[in-house]
Amino acid sequence: MASAVFVLDLKGKPLIARDYRGDIPMSAIDNFMPLLQKREEEEGTASPVITDAGITYLHLRESDIYSKTEDCTDAFKEYFKTLEEESIRDNFVIIYELLDEMMDYGVPQITETKILKEYITQESHVLEIQPRPPSAVTDAVSWRSEGIEYRKNEVFLDVVESINMLVNSKGNVLSSEILGTIKMKVYLSGMPELRLGLNDKVMFESTGRTPRGKTVEMEDIRFHQCVRLSRFEDDRTISFIPPDGEFELMNYRLNTQIKPLIWCDSVVETHSGRIEYMIKAKAQFKHRSIANDVEILVPVPDDADCPRFK
């Protein structure tokens, strides 16, 4: 639940202001930028969630503006492609229309842009006469329209993972984590219900079952609104009626110890008037896997004269 949504420029001046509950003073907006700068000076970087004087600020920076959540910015991009201060000013009418449809008294309602674009349309900077909202808006499944038909039913699923790792100068791994996203493309007729099971450690422990392979312990899980959260809490099954087309089903984090996919060793030798670097790279993944577009950066001082690589 949000009391208000504001879109600010880099100086902290509101470009868009939508007050849903009337319990946030305007002085809170004036205090946001000084508070943000103070946190950046003290901590080096500011958390996206800041609490001060009983007010919790959730902020996201996109180009030269600050907004509340990723859902808002994603919807704005669907309408005007680039999200900048100028595009916000040019399209403020449609932005207020979107905020009114996406939030009801501060409670998120409709965030699926495919459904929003069915009845909120705009060309240039003039809002067109609005057609009747599709039935999906008032249905329990607000992210999918009825009557979808395909000659061939298909489902595509991709798991995209990235690694964050901190290594000290002696080559010891201090911390490591995997950030993952499950992306889907769904081309199914009607209102299909899909179920997805994962090698979830919590699920096997709660049911007393013995896993066939390795299990993972997921943290910071974030689902698309189509997932039935009550079902997941009961038996860890991901049950959902998917949106039509492409969407992100879930995001997660694995706090696990891993070794670097590519390990680099460097030997530095100093000679008269020159320095030689010997860089050795070693792949540490399975033979059947292939790494494409690998780049190894060798930093040299700004005053280096004619660095040569061979």
Side-chain angles (χ1 to χ4, degrees):
M1 180 181 296
S3 295
V5 174
F6 295 92
V7 180
L8 312 178
D9 62 15
L10 289 179
K11 297 180 180 179
K13 301 299 181 181
L15 302 172
I16 299 293
R18 191 68 179 89
D19 192 350
Y20 293 104
R21 307 178 64 85
D23 56 352
I24 299 295
M26 289 302 296
S27 59
I29 305 304
D30 299 333
N31 296 334
F32 172 70
M33 289 303 293
L35 183 63
L36 184 67
Q37 294 171 357
K38 180 180 178 182
R39 293 294 175 90
E40 290 178 344
E41 292 175 357
E42 293 176 350
E43 304 173 7
T45 180
S47 168
V49 181
I50 301 176
T51 301
D52 182 71
I55 299 175
T56 301
Y57 302 87
L58 285 79
H59 73 279
L60 175 69
R61 179 172 176 177
E62 182 77 25
S63 184
D64 56 356
I65 64 171
Y66 289 89
S67 62
K68 176 185 176 290
T69 64
E70 189 173 355
D71 289 333
C72 292
T73 57
D74 287 346
F76 296 163
K77 287 179 182 178
E78 283 290 330
Y79 278 86
F80 12 103
K81 308 304 179 186
T82 58
L83 193 59
E84 299 177 355
E85 181 177 341
E86 184 177 354
S87 64
I88 293 294
R89 295 184 185 276
D90 290 342
N91 297 281
F92 71 94
V93 175
I94 192 69
I95 290 176
Y96 279 108
E97 184 80 10
L98 287 169
L99 291 178
D100 287 341
E101 295 294 339
M102 296 175 70
M103 307 279 283
D104 183 13
Y105 196 58
V107 179
Q109 296 293 322
I110 307 168
T111 58
E112 186 61 48
T113 54
K114 294 184 181 68
I115 299 300
L116 289 169
K117 294 184 76 170
E118 287 188 24
Y119 67 103
I120 299 181
T121 58
Q122 175 185 348
E123 292 184 3
S124 185
H125 306 308
V126 180
L127 195 63
E128 296 179 353
I129 299 176
Q130 304 300 326
R132 294 183 61 185
S135 59
V137 173
T138 55
D139 289 344
V141 184
S142 62
W143 53 86
R144 183 180 180 90
S145 300
E146 294 183 356
I148 298 175
E149 293 291 337
Y150 287 100
R151 294 181 61 184
K152 182 179 180 182
N153 292 310
E154 296 178 308
V155 175
F156 302 92
L157 186 147
D158 289 318
V159 179
V160 181
E161 293 185 333
S162 60
I163 297 175
N164 288 339
M165 181 174 294
L166 182 62
V167 182
N168 65 13
S169 59
K170 296 181 180 179
N172 299 320
V173 178
L174 302 180
S175 64
S176 61
E177 64 178 6
I178 298 175
L179 303 179
T181 301
I182 296 182
K183 299 182 177 182
M184 297 191 69
K185 292 182 181 180
V186 178
Y187 306 108
L188 298 176
S189 303
M191 285 287 180
E193 181 171 349
L194 308 183
R195 288 184 296 174
L196 178 65
L198 304 174
N199 54 337
D200 187 4
K201 181 180 179 181
V202 176
M203 184 269 290
F204 285 107
E205 291 179 349
S206 61
T207 58
R209 296 162 55 188
T210 302
R212 294 182 180 179
K214 292 181 62 178
T215 60
V216 294
E217 188 171 357
M218 295 182 173
E219 302 179 10
D220 299 338
I221 301 176
R222 184 165 67 91
F223 289 113
H224 188 275
Q225 60 175 327
C226 66
V227 176
R228 292 188 172 93
L229 297 181
S230 58
R231 178 72 183 276
F232 180 77
E233 293 173 355
D234 290 340
D235 57 11
R236 308 291 285 188
T237 298
I238 303 174
S239 177
F240 58 99
I241 298 176
D244 185 49
E246 299 183 25
F247 71 100
E248 289 188 1
L249 178 64
M250 63 179 291
N251 296 276
Y252 59 88
R253 180 172 63 88
L254 302 178
N255 189 7
T256 180
Q257 289 294 325
I258 55 178
K259 57 183 179 181
L261 298 180
I262 298 176
W263 185 257
C264 294
D265 285 324
S266 61
V267 178
V268 182
E269 295 183 357
T270 303
H271 302 280
S272 177
R274 61 187 177 90
I275 299 177
E276 288 188 358
Y277 295 85
M278 174 67 74
I279 310 297
K280 296 182 179 181
K282 177 183 179 182
Q284 300 190 115
F285 46 79
K286 297 179 180 179
H287 291 291
R288 65 174 181 266
S289 300
I290 298 176
N292 296 322
D293 302 325
V294 177
E295 293 185 2
I296 298 177
L297 306 181
V298 182
V300 297
D302 294 336
D303 59 351
D305 184 22
C306 300
R308 293 188 300 271
F309 297 87
K310 65 177 180 180

